[in-house]
Amino acid sequence: MIKINEIFYSIQGETSYSGLATVFVRTTGCPLRCIYCDTKYSYVEGELMSANEIISKIATYHTKFVCITGGEPLAQKEVLFLMSELCQLGYLVSLETSGAKSIEKVSDGVKVILDVKTPDSGEGQSFLMDNLKWAKPSTEFKFVICSQKDFEWSEGFCRQYDLFKKYSVLYSPSYEQLSSRWLAEKILEKKSSARLQLQLQKYIWSPDTRGV
Ligand code: SF4
């Protein structure tokens, strides 16, 4: 059984699947406490569901895109089985993970979005370095940038581990801390190879921008 916080249908706002109608499966629980976390409600709330029940619910939405998110999905071992089953059924599965848990046993067909927590996230020591070994060419590395210090640190990390050459690297501004313009200018100024990623869902559904 897997403790599930919510299952919902929306537009994917991040990653290379951005803009696609997707079913989101949000698992309950996370070992981290990032200062910008916008899903604190997923830390404990949820109900137990079997993999079959989750798959049946997903099937009602009639899309092939499924995003497993959290919380931290890999905090529950059964999520590995769920993702493997979904891949076998022909779904295009993405996994959003904090980087603090091993991705070694994630099915080959799953696109992994691997967060690397920056120093100003408050969880800067949490990245499991072995995950660099398990990353596949399809893995996307994501950095949520909270400050100039985070930007410099992320650039250093990507260069030290050759991420720009091997993978897609996404930089997102921490939504209430940095403007997207500031980060865009930094990427240009430093000739960074990172892709600026805006959280599309926040622009679509925010009361300030609704209908824009
Ligand atoms: S890893 Fe994600 S869910 Fe966990 S505290 Fe950080 S932002 Fe929140």
Side-chain angles (χ1 to χ4, degrees), residues 74-94:
L74 296 179
Q76 301 185 69
K77 284 202 180 74
E78 295 85 346
V79 171
L80 293 170
F81 172 74
L82 172 66
M83 293 190 293
S84 162
E85 289 290 289
L86 287 168
C87 288
Q88 299 252 354
L89 290 166
Y91 286 102
L92 293 174
V93 181
S94 57

Side-chain angles (χ1 to χ4, degrees), residues 49-190:
M49 294 178 75
S50 68
N52 280 343
E53 287 171 325
I54 297 165
I55 289 167
S56 297
K57 176 85 175 164
I58 289 169
T60 64
Y61 293 104
H62 304 288
T63 175
K64 61 182 178 176
F65 294 100
V66 178
C67 177
I68 311 293
T69 187
E72 168 50 72
L74 296 179
Q76 301 185 69
K77 284 202 180 74
E78 295 85 346
V79 171
L80 293 170
F81 172 74
L82 172 66
M83 293 190 293
S84 162
E85 289 290 289
L86 287 168
C87 288
Q88 299 252 354
L89 290 166
Y91 286 102
L92 293 174
V93 181
S94 57
L95 165 70
E96 296 184 350
T97 175
S98 66
K101 296 279 179 189
S102 175
I103 60 168
E104 179 183 4
K105 297 201 166 109
V106 174
S107 292
D108 283 346
V110 174
K111 174 182 275 299
V112 177
I113 317 305
L114 194 54
D115 229 320
V116 183
K117 298 297 180 187
T118 58
D120 286 343
S121 70
E123 290 288 1
Q125 302 300 318
S126 63
F127 187 71
L128 189 66
M129 293 305 288
D130 270 358
N131 277 335
L132 293 174
K133 274 194 311 207
W134 309 121
K136 305 174 192 88
S138 65
T139 302
E140 299 183 12
F141 282 77
K142 173 180 161 188
F143 297 76
V144 177
I145 311 287
C146 303
S147 62
Q148 166 87 23
K149 180 171 94 179
D150 275 0
F151 179 84
E152 301 293 348
W153 182 88
S154 303
E155 285 284 289
F157 189 97
C158 291
R159 290 181 205 287
Q160 182 174 356
Y161 297 107
D162 219 11
L163 301 190
F164 288 135
K165 286 203 186 115
K166 297 182 188 162
Y167 308 103
S168 183
V169 175
L170 312 167
Y171 284 180
S172 273
S174 176
Y175 189 63
E176 288 177 343
Q177 289 179 278
L178 281 185
S179 73
S180 46
R181 181 178 181 139
W182 183 90
L183 187 51
E185 286 173 350
K186 277 286 159 204
I187 289 171
L188 293 171
E189 181 189 318
K190 297 284 182 181

Side-chain angles (χ1 to χ4, degrees), residues 30-34 36-40 42-43 70-72 98 115 117 123:
C30 182
L32 305 190
R33 291 294 179 265
C34 307
Y36 49 70
C37 183
D38 57 3
T39 52
K40 294 186 175 77
S42 70
Y43 292 167
E72 168 50 72
S98 66
D115 229 320
K117 298 297 180 187
E123 290 288 1

